[in-house]
Amino acid sequence: MPWYDIYRSYDDDALTALANAGLLRRAAKDVEAGKVDWLEQGEQAGVIGADGQRVELDSQGLPQARCDCPAPGLCKHILGAVLWLRGQDTAAPAPAALPSALNEVLGLDLASLFKTAGRAAVRQAFAAESHGAVEIVEQPGGFTVSWPELGLSCRYLAGLGLAGMVSELPARDQAGLHLAAVLAVWRANGRVVPRPDWLEAEQPAVSDGRLDGDESALLDQVEAALTELLAQGLGHLGTVAAARLGALAVSVRGEGLPRLAAMLRNLAGTLTLLAKRDDRSDSRHALAMMARLYALCAALRAGAAEPARLGMLRGRLRRDYREGEALELLPLGAEWWETRGGARGLTLWCWDAAAGDLKSATLARPDGNDPGFYRHAAWNQLALWPGAGSAEHICQGSLRLESPRLADDQRLAVGGSSRAEVMAPWAADDPRLEQLGDHDWQVAVERLRQGVGLTGQPVEALLLRPQRWLPLRLDEVAQRLDWTVFDAAGQALTLTLRCEPTQRERLEGLSRRLDEATLDLRAVLVRVDRREAVTRLEPLALLHLEASQLRTISLDFDPAPHRRGRVAPTEGRILRLLEARRQPPLAQPGIAGRCLDPLLAQLEAWAELGRPLPGEFQRERLAECAQAARRAGLELPARLTDTLLARPDVAGLLRLYYVAQLAMTLEGLTVAEAAVEQD
């Protein structure tokens, strides 16, 4: 077929990804106006006149296209030439007779591709295998490979090879992703992808106590990307920003920095929602993630001389599940959760009496995958381990887990070689009940405080053993349900549930169960929620004695049945709040929050607009915030604000935002501890 028929593979989506929609529209107008035609037509190449310019094209596709206009890259004249060629009546075979792009890829020599792409791209391509599901969609003249969890996709065009692949990423980031797409096609078609010998021989970077040159360069790229995003403004982002972060996440993971990669991946998902103006998007949440990313980059550089600290900051290349001895576990209940990006899952919590700690196992699906995976199907239909049945069945007794695969963070792998057996529930006189959970609120709060920061291990849940409790208290102004529980020393701790639709099952289950005068409560499983300045403890499950046996009630799945003709007063008020659907107010901050929240608001406004410097009004407000912080004894945030005013830059903004948020988080824990008071 003629050399110029290769340009039929470039549809409008591919051209838009290579240039932009506006430039493509201008090129189309030139074609419609008759400003494009042949100047020279050869057997291997040709020259096309487009609006007075000379465009040179050949069979190598757009990577080799040249135009004599001064515009850099892919100009409107080249786009016009491609659009014009697509519309020419040639003797080329019909599209159905063109060779399959998938077959073309399966015939590529991977060894040659690896050599051409380079070692950095090969590392990135193999690292992409761990970034969730891959979608491959065949189209006329090519196919598209997408990673939904990363928000990344690229297009392979028949006849153009790896060099002719198209994506929205900058040229410097394309090689690894495009190679990863080729490997994904091989795997999807049952082909074995051989790992290069040099890649197998490389030791994971986490075994070294220093950052190497490639890792330092990646940290530079991450910091530069954050700077560019804020210079553009969070209110003006496009999808390209998220795609670039997704590609960076793949590169970072390939270089042995999995914790940084996970944070980049989460930020990419948040920015995708922002770019789409999704209701779930939140620029404040995005800025907080960016500040934490910047802080992690700084901590990685500072921790280079301390191997142990650097290892924690790096994270693990993969969750290392190690097979161990059988575990005797007490199921505590399960929770249902959904993320901003649409992922959803069920997490089962268990108490390990021998180790005296909590362990968890999770069933989850990413956004848009498996429509049969929903709340109650995950609870009463899907098995976590062979022999155990569903989470509902497991929570009816105790659990023995053979050959468990346990990670360092106490997470249990589901499925695999593990085998489980549901045993009889614990009896009321079981001596293990005496060691169940936390009975001193001071100790529990101290563990929460130690989990704050980049090097701490965040505490996700607690098991509390209250000795007594007060009736539920509904705060209709704050739109929350409070439940005060007391430990053995008479110290009080308040558990809270927001009155919002996503919490409906928990609200109804808790209000109905505690209304039962016969409930013999022995322990409460709570989730640690840090979404606001004040850390909240949310009840997830209740453990109680029934017929001399310990039973669990999962509030997400086990609401008590209605008593005929009767609705508890508290439950009725909760239902009226849920039906009103008012926006609940934010939690009232403490002293640090009252000083720093206005500071955060000014930084957020600056980041939203993308101005290079704060305006005069913002400078005055920032100076006032610095004075207020200093009067409250918050010297570090005050000093960082002074520095930012003297030398405004993105690095200073992110540094100040991270420190201010950290101070408010610590105060939130202090507030929680202050609530631990003698009754």
Side-chain angles (χ1 to χ4, degrees):
M1 69 181 178
W3 61 268
Y4 44 83
D5 271 7
I6 200 73
Y7 292 93
R8 292 180 179 274
S9 297
Y10 292 101
D11 60 14
D12 286 355
D13 289 339
L15 294 176
T16 300
L18 288 167
N20 60 69
L23 203 60
L24 188 62
R25 284 194 297 270
R26 291 169 56 196
K29 289 181 180 179
D30 286 347
V31 175
E32 292 172 2
K35 297 180 179 180
V36 184
D37 205 345
W38 286 115
L39 294 181
E40 301 175 14
Q41 183 176 0
E43 292 185 2
Q44 302 298 325
V47 179
I48 295 173
D51 195 20
Q53 305 298 143
R54 291 173 57 88
V55 177
E56 300 177 11
L57 300 175
D58 61 21
S59 60
Q60 299 303 306
L62 285 181
Q64 301 300 319
R66 299 291 182 269
C67 179
D68 62 358
C69 77
L74 199 61
C75 63
K76 76 155 186 168
H77 309 107
I78 296 176
L79 291 174
V82 174
L83 292 176
W84 182 78
L85 284 175
R86 276 177 18 190
Q88 297 307 295
D89 184 16
T90 71
L98 292 173
S100 166
L102 288 174
N103 290 337
E104 184 179 310
V105 167
L106 295 175
L108 294 174
D109 181 359
L110 290 188
S112 298
L113 285 182
F114 292 162
K115 185 176 181 180
T116 302
R119 293 197 171 194
V122 172
R123 288 193 201 97
Q124 184 180 7
F126 278 94
E129 185 179 2
S130 63
H131 283 281
V134 180
E135 295 179 359
I136 302 172
V137 179
E138 192 167 8
Q139 299 155 326
F143 58 84
T144 299
V145 179
S146 303
W147 289 263
E149 291 186 35
L150 294 177
L152 294 176
S153 65
C154 56
R155 182 84 174 272
Y156 184 93
L157 303 175
L160 297 179
L162 199 65
M165 291 185 71
V166 175
S167 66
E168 294 183 340
L169 296 175
R172 63 179 179 274
D173 299 325
Q174 290 180 353
L177 183 73
H178 293 178
L179 181 57
V182 171
L183 301 188
V185 170
W186 272 54
R187 295 187 186 102
N189 285 271
R191 299 290 187 87
V192 176
V193 178
R195 294 173 67 91
D197 293 340
W198 60 265
L199 188 60
E200 289 290 346
E202 283 187 345
Q203 295 296 320
V206 293
S207 64
D208 193 350
R210 298 167 295 176
L211 293 174
D212 60 29
D214 290 338
E215 291 170 338
S216 295
L218 280 172
L219 295 184
D220 291 340
Q221 290 183 41
V222 172
E223 292 171 346
L226 296 177
T227 300
E228 292 174 16
L229 287 172
L230 287 181
Q232 184 179 354
L234 295 179
H236 310 292
L237 294 178
T239 57
V240 177
R244 183 182 177 190
L245 289 179
L248 261 179
V250 177
S251 297
V252 166
R253 186 180 179 90
E255 290 294 339
L257 297 168
R259 185 177 182 185
L260 186 64
M263 292 172 67
L264 282 167
R265 192 165 61 248
N266 291 338
L267 178 59
T270 298
L271 295 186
T272 298
L273 295 178
L274 276 177
K276 294 178 179 178
R277 306 298 186 264
D278 192 287
D279 290 340
R280 296 168 294 178
S281 64
D282 184 346
S283 58
R284 181 168 193 166
H285 181 62
L287 184 57
M289 295 174 73
M290 295 171 74
R292 189 171 176 84
L293 262 169
Y294 188 87
L296 180 57
C297 289
L300 283 165
R301 296 185 195 279
E306 304 176 39
R309 183 167 180 261
L310 187 61
M312 288 188 293
L313 294 171
R314 286 181 184 276
R316 289 187 173 273
L317 285 173
R318 57 181 61 86
R319 179 164 283 130
D320 185 16
Y321 289 105
R322 297 185 305 277
E323 192 169 305
E325 297 180 357
L327 294 175
E328 301 285 347
L329 302 173
L330 174 65
L332 303 175
E335 64 169 314
W336 178 258
W337 50 264
E338 295 185 15
T339 68
R340 288 174 177 270
R344 59 207 185 282
L346 176 147
T347 296
L348 174 72
W349 293 92
C350 298
W351 175 256
D352 183 352
D357 60 18
L358 292 171
K359 291 179 170 55
S360 66
T362 297
L363 290 171
R365 299 290 188 274
D367 182 24
N369 284 358
D370 193 356
F373 185 85
Y374 52 93
R375 181 191 295 261
H376 289 287
W379 168 245
N380 56 33
Q381 296 179 22
L382 302 180
L384 280 85
W385 297 282
S390 66
E392 180 183 34
H393 181 62
I394 290 172
C395 288
Q396 292 175 3
S398 59
L399 181 69
R400 178 178 176 81
L401 192 60
E402 300 282 355
S403 304
R405 294 182 297 138
L406 184 65
D408 288 345
D409 58 3
Q410 303 306 303
R411 296 178 191 268
L412 289 161
V414 298
S417 58
S418 301
R419 292 292 181 274
E421 181 181 1
V422 177
M423 313 291 286
W426 285 14
D429 58 354
D430 194 311
R432 292 174 293 183
L433 283 174
E434 296 300 320
Q435 305 301 320
L436 186 67
D438 291 310
H439 56 82
D440 185 339
W441 299 168
Q442 292 282 8
V443 174
V445 170
E446 182 58 32
R447 282 200 288 122
L448 292 178
R449 182 181 291 109
Q450 292 175 359
V452 174
L454 294 172
T455 57
Q457 181 64 43
V459 178
E460 297 182 8
L462 296 170
L463 183 62
L464 305 176
R465 284 177 56 201
Q467 298 301 305
R468 64 185 184 88
W469 52 90
L470 298 178
L472 294 175
R473 183 176 68 257
L474 181 62
D475 187 335
E476 295 190 50
V477 175
Q479 298 185 51
R480 68 172 188 263
L481 186 67
D482 293 336
W483 181 30
T484 301
V485 295
F486 299 86
D487 66 5
Q491 300 176 109
L493 191 62
T494 298
L495 314 182
T496 300
L497 284 175
R498 293 180 179 84
C499 291
E500 55 188 35
T502 57
Q503 298 276 41
R504 182 166 189 144
E505 284 81 4
R506 294 179 190 176
L507 290 163
E508 292 181 353
L510 187 64
S511 61
R512 294 179 194 174
R513 294 290 185 177
L514 291 185
D515 186 50
E516 296 177 3
T518 58
L519 184 68
D520 188 358
L521 184 68
R522 293 307 173 96
V524 183
L525 177 68
V526 299
R527 153 72 69 183
V528 181
D529 177 17
R530 303 181 182 84
R531 285 179 291 176
E532 297 179 7
V534 177
T535 298
R536 297 180 185 273
L537 301 179
E538 298 183 341
L540 292 179
L542 308 175
L543 272 75
H544 68 113
L545 286 178
E546 181 181 314
S548 299
Q549 291 183 325
L550 192 64
R551 299 290 186 178
T552 183
I553 300 170
S554 296
L555 297 178
D556 278 351
F557 305 100
D558 287 327
H562 277 293
R563 294 182 180 178
R564 181 172 298 179
R566 178 177 179 270
V567 176
T570 300
E571 183 184 351
R573 292 163 62 198
I574 291 171
L575 293 175
R576 286 193 293 272
L577 276 178
L578 293 176
E579 290 170 0
R581 295 185 178 179
R582 292 180 295 167
Q583 181 66 30
L586 295 176
Q588 293 300 314
I591 295 175
R594 288 195 293 273
C595 293
L596 297 178
D597 206 45
L599 173 63
L600 294 179
Q602 293 302 317
L603 298 178
E604 289 155 10
W606 185 3
E608 185 81 11
L609 297 175
R611 293 172 178 168
L613 296 173
E616 188 61 34
F617 173 77
Q618 280 183 312
R619 293 182 64 86
E620 292 176 2
R621 293 292 293 129
L622 287 171
E624 292 172 3
C625 291
Q627 293 175 5
R630 192 167 276 112
R631 287 195 299 269
L634 301 167
E635 184 59 33
L636 181 56
R639 210 165 354 109
L640 289 175
T641 305
D642 293 339
T643 302
L644 182 63
L645 287 170
R647 191 172 57 254
D649 60 10
V650 168
L653 185 154
L654 291 173
R655 190 180 299 115
L656 174 56
Y657 198 92
Y658 176 76
V659 169
Q661 279 228 319
L662 185 61
M664 290 175 67
T665 300
L666 289 171
E667 185 191 45
L669 294 176
T670 303
V671 169
E673 186 177 9
V676 181
E677 56 190 11
Q678 294 295 330
D679 177 39

